[in-house]
Amino acid sequence: RVREAVVSTQSTGKLKKLECRSISMGQGQEVHARRLLQNFMAVGGWVLLQNCHLALGFLDELLETVTTSEESHANFRLWITTEIHPKFPINFLQGSSLSK
């Protein structure tokens, strides 16, 4: 199912002529995710962070970045995939439909 979601997200982004980039989280990928988020929040595009259960420590920072940003491009979207994990922050899921 995750693979289907990834393909669907990327296909939809292409149909809308939006750049869609993905990062598989874990082993230091937070640096690349931060850079991609900053760029796409400014210029628009879709970010897909996969396997977020491998970067639980990064998720609070990620949520704060997305929700407290002064300005985000109207075409910016953040998508995530995760496996079920007992320490996955529930506040991240509760804010999943936030928009400015």
Side-chain angles (χ1 to χ4, degrees):
R1 290 189 181 261
V2 172
R3 177 76 179 134
E4 293 168 2
V6 170
V7 170
S8 177
T9 299
Q10 291 172 334
S11 297
T12 303
K14 286 179 185 177
L15 285 173
K16 294 180 176 279
K17 297 184 180 357
L18 296 170
E19 187 171 356
C20 183
R21 300 267 313 271
S22 63
I23 295 178
S24 185
M25 298 303 290
Q27 297 189 0
Q29 294 303 304
E30 294 88 348
V31 172
H32 303 291
R34 283 184 194 102
R35 188 177 313 126
L36 187 60
L37 282 164
Q38 289 174 347
N39 182 35
F40 278 25
M41 286 176 78
V43 301
W46 290 5
V47 176
L48 172 60
L49 300 181
Q50 300 177 48
N51 302 318
C52 285
H53 59 281
L54 299 176
L56 294 175
F58 176 66
L59 294 181
D60 287 333
E61 174 189 337
L62 176 61
L63 182 60
E64 184 174 339
T65 298
V66 173
T67 58
T68 63
S69 173
E70 292 291 322
E71 292 186 28
S72 290
H73 193 281
N75 290 330
F76 169 72
R77 297 293 183 275
L78 171 63
W79 306 90
I80 68 164
T81 67
T82 186
E83 290 183 7
I84 296 171
H85 193 286
K87 293 187 178 181
F88 194 91
I90 190 71
N91 59 337
F92 197 91
L93 298 175
Q94 291 171 333
S96 65
S97 63
L98 291 177
S99 62
K100 297 219 174 214

